[in-house]
Amino acid sequence: GAVVSQHPSRVICKSGTSVKIECRSLDFQATTMFWYRQFPKQSLMLMATSNEGSKATYEQGVEKDKFLINHASLTLSTLTVTSAHPEDSSFYICSADGGLETQYFGPGTRLLVL
Amino acid sequence: AQRVTQPEKLLSVFKGAPVELKCNYSYSGSPELFWYVQYSRQRLQLLLRHISRESIKGFTADLNKGETSFHLKKPFAQEEDSAMYYCALNTGGTSYGKLTFGQGTILTVHP
């Protein structure tokens, strides 16, 4: 079956630094990928839709300058958390549109900002 | 605005008992609903979708537009069904990743 990977699986960084998270579709092409955020014991919240070759579409309340998304190829989308602060600590999950009403989720990336 | 509500955070049943995970939604458009499951230490994966009217691993879910519900049911629960279950509503039209998730229900099936 289709597989989506994320790298890194967990990252710890200092406040003020930027962190890049990669989302890759390993055996299929995805023109659309999605980035979600999950707080502890809470549900997934869609942050943005990443479209290959065009600008990402952000959900209301999500700062586009804070969470930079780049979808440079059909198999890779990146999320960069710029000038990270402790409140950005969270679990970030990506998914890829596999077509036929199916999307495939990555395993998630745990971000801890000290 | 769209919303998905799963009223039960935790649900415990014994093996062989029927189980029902509740899901209610609020959406002004034509709803497309899904159930996703996350087993321990695994990623989120699709369980079933209402459009397909399918039964996966013995689970079924019927969309009830009158009650705005999409409850997940299984007549005889198994221990391997223990997992986190999310109900999700597609609000992106043809883009099926634009999902609004419920809070999730942790199902525990006791032996």
Side-chain angles (χ1 to χ4, degrees):
Chain A
V3 177
V4 173
S5 70
Q6 281 184 242
H7 178 79
S9 58
R10 61 181 65 190
V11 56
I12 301 173
C13 69
K14 292 182 179 180
S15 184
T17 61
S18 294
V19 174
K20 180 186 282 188
I21 302 170
E22 293 184 348
C23 176
R24 292 181 185 273
S25 56
L26 296 186
D27 48 4
F28 68 103
Q29 293 181 331
T31 56
T32 306
M33 293 184 174
F34 303 87
W35 287 96
Y36 293 83
R37 183 173 181 176
Q38 186 175 33
F39 291 100
K41 298 183 180 179
Q42 294 190 34
S43 188
L44 287 78
M45 182 193 75
L46 179 65
M47 298 174 65
T49 303
S50 172
N51 303 296
E52 188 268 335
S54 64
K55 290 183 179 180
T57 305
Y58 291 82
E59 295 300 300
Q60 192 173 12
V62 177
E63 300 175 61
K64 58 182 67 178
D65 294 331
K66 174 76 168 176
F67 299 99
L68 299 178
I69 292 172
N70 183 273
H71 195 153
S73 77
L74 288 171
T75 59
L76 174 64
S77 175
T78 60
L79 168 68
T80 302
V81 184
T82 62
S83 187
H85 290 285
E87 57 265 30
D88 298 324
S89 298
S90 193
F91 195 55
Y92 293 88
I93 304 171
C94 73
S95 70
D97 187 353
L100 300 176
E101 303 173 27
T102 303
Q103 62 163 319
Y104 301 96
F105 282 83
T109 296
R110 178 83 56 194
L111 171 63
L112 176 62
V113 184
L114 302 177
Chain B
Q2 63 273 10
R3 175 183 281 185
V4 177
T5 303
Q6 292 178 249
E8 303 137 330
K9 271 202 159 181
L10 302 170
L11 185 61
S12 289
V13 300
F14 286 99
K15 177 183 173 181
V19 63
E20 180 180 56
L21 289 83
K22 290 184 168 49
C23 172
N24 289 90
Y25 67 91
S26 173
Y27 184 52
S28 57
S30 181
E32 295 181 55
L33 288 142
F34 305 80
W35 276 99
Y36 281 84
V37 61
Q38 188 169 27
Y39 299 103
S40 179
R41 297 194 189 90
Q42 294 187 29
R43 66 189 67 194
L44 203 62
Q45 57 184 287
L46 178 66
L47 180 62
L48 55 79
R49 63 205 104 182
H50 96 267
I51 287 178
S52 302
R53 302 181 71 82
E54 58 203 342
S55 173
I56 303 294
K57 298 184 179 182
F59 285 97
T60 59
D62 291 318
L63 177 61
N64 186 322
K65 291 187 178 181
E67 296 182 358
T68 60
S69 68
F70 188 56
H71 303 326
L72 183 68
K73 301 176 184 179
K74 184 169 183 176
F76 307 103
Q78 303 299 314
E79 289 178 68
E80 55 265 30
D81 296 328
S82 296
M84 169 74 95
Y85 291 81
Y86 290 99
C87 181
L89 169 69
N90 172 43
T91 59
T94 56
S95 177
Y96 287 93
K98 197 173 173 69
L99 297 172
T100 297
F101 283 87
Q103 289 84 351
T105 298
I106 299 174
L107 173 65
T108 302
V109 182
H110 300 283

